Structure formats: C-alpha cells, structure tokens
Amino acid sequence: MAGIPSVQRRRLASELRALRESADLTIDQVAQQVTIGKSTLSRVENAQVSVTPRNVAKLLRLYGVADDDAAGLIQLAHDAQQYSWWNDYSNAMSDGLAGYVAFEDEATQLRAYDVQLVNGLLQTAEYTRALLQAEFPEGPPEKIEERVEIRLARQRILDRSKPPRLWFVLDEAVLHRPVGGPQVMAAQLGHLITTAQRPSVTVQVLPFRQGAHMGMGVSFALLDFGDHPTVVYQENLSGALYLDKDYHVDTHGLAFDHLRATALSPADTLAFLRMRAEVMLAQGARESPNDDHPSWPGPGDLA
C-alpha cells in the first residue's frame, strides 16, 4: 500500500508541505517538536508513505492551523488510509502502472488518446492476453494471467453507480492491427461497439484521411479529479511520466480538444467500428475456411 500513492495521499502530502513552509519551519525543526522521524516526515511530504490522522493532527497544531481547516485535512488522512482493490496486486504492477491505476480509480473524468492499442479500459481479456504475450514472450503464464486479471479489474469503474466520464479518441491504426489475430480482433471491435454505447463513455475514431494532426505519434491520458489538479499520464517502454504543471495540462488539453474535433462523431464511429469488425470477420473466414469458430461474433453481435 505504501508503494501506490493515492490521490488523497498526494493531496495531503502537498498540503502538509505547504503548511510547514508557510509556518517557516524546516523538516529538522518539525521532527524535533513532533514524534515523527525526519526521514519519515520527508517521505510523508513526498507521498511515499501514508501518515496517521493522529500525527496529522499534531502537525497541524504545530503549524497553527485553525480547527475548522484541520478537520478536513484529518479526514483526508483517514481517506488516504482506506484499503483499495489494487493493493492486492501491488506486487504484480510496475511503479508506473501502480501509480496510474490509483489515479484512474479516483478520477472523475478520463480523456485518452491512443495511437497503437485499444485503451486498457476497453480491452477484452483475449486482446489483453495477446498484447501481454507479445510484450513478455518469456513471461510465465501465471504472471500473464495475473496481469490480465488486473486489467479487467480496472474496468469495474465502468459499472459503478456513478462511473467516471470516459472519453476516448482512437487513431484508426488501432483498428487495423489484428492483435491476437482476426478472431480476437473481431471480438474486440464488437466489445468496443457495446462499450461505446454506455451513457458515461464516448468513443471516437480519428481516421487516416485527416492527415497530420496535433497529437501525432503520442498517446496520452488526462485524468481529472474533483479536488485535485488534472494529471497528464504518458507511458513508454521503460516507465511512465506524470505531468501536472499548468503548461503540460493546458497543452495536452488543447491537443485532445483538437483531436476530438477532428475525429469522427460518436455515431459515425459506431458505423466505422462495425465496418472494421466485418472486415476482420471476413479476413478470419478466409484464413481458416474449414474451421468452425462458434465463439466468433456474428453480424448480429455487432449491432
């Protein structure tokens, strides 16, 4: 749990650091007056570890925070210590993914542009498995399945009574790469069609014919929160970046606005997805003309 800082923990860390600096106190001075070690306090202020509500109360008294203001921060400390589902998988996730999952789970809105792959929140188990087998060709099967389970667990946010607002723009290239083969890809496209019709989800395809655009070659996600600044997330082969400076957020927000304005409308996107699914079904039939595929989606499943 200590390794995956939640939004609440990050916000509390930022508030405590700002209050200490406003009180004109160093970490050494605070550590001498409150029974919290210097290294521990430093880690608390960097959101590396959680802090008990009792110790938060001690710090706030030292910083001269009024009782009314202190109550909200003490409650925030309680919230930051709440157990979350992703703690069960903390040992199976990289630091970059773990941090992203914590953010994703608490976001009120997510806006994502994907260049090569279907977004993780929209993937089927078979599509995810094919991706992971390509990414970790030497990986033990049980580890692959654990990662598939994590990705499917992330998708539970779609079924909440008040799900976050999700807006996806997919480059057309995503729909042409037959991850897992035509059968898997046809089923994935069918799942996209179904998910895109949820009230809380918008899916748009950015077609090739639009040519050059503002987000060329760069996948990114913007995560919005009710009481925390927007965070930009970018993933790469060796890690991930979290950007929260105004310049970064504004630049990516502007890019996303351009992308969704340039992309096909949601209605036209559904028609395009159905067309691509039919193409994959036909391709699969040509490649395996003598095989029966009872699990393949049929035309009626793509409506």
Side-chain angles (χ1 to χ4, degrees), residues 40-58:
T40 299
L41 182 57
S42 177
R43 295 172 70 196
V44 165
E45 290 191 358
N46 286 289
Q48 294 175 329
V49 296
S50 59
V51 58
T52 66
R54 179 183 178 186
N55 281 336
V56 169
K58 290 180 180 179

Side-chain angles (χ1 to χ4, degrees), residues 96-108:
L97 176 59
Y100 178 75
V101 168
F103 272 8
E104 182 182 75
D105 194 62
E106 298 172 50
T108 57

Side-chain angles (χ1 to χ4, degrees), residues 104-157:
E104 182 182 75
D105 194 62
E106 298 172 50
T108 57
Q109 177 176 257
L110 181 144
R111 296 166 285 163
Y113 171 57
D114 293 283
V115 176
Q116 290 279 359
L117 308 173
V118 173
N119 190 278
L121 291 176
L122 303 174
Q123 292 176 9
T124 64
E126 293 76 14
Y127 183 97
T128 297
R129 188 173 294 109
L131 285 177
L132 293 172
Q133 288 170 343
E135 186 177 356
F136 304 103
E138 305 299 326
E142 61 272 15
K143 291 296 184 182
I144 297 293
E145 291 307 310
E146 189 172 34
R147 289 186 170 99
V148 172
E149 186 178 342
I150 292 170
R151 195 153 303 179
L152 296 181
R154 287 168 50 197
Q155 297 176 10
R156 294 173 192 161
I157 64 173

Side-chain angles (χ1 to χ4, degrees), residues 106-111 164-167 222-225 260:
E106 298 172 50
T108 57
Q109 177 176 257
L110 181 144
R111 296 166 285 163
R165 184 75 178 88
L166 304 176
W167 199 312
L222 290 137
L223 298 107
D224 302 310
F225 308 91
R260 65 183 182 180

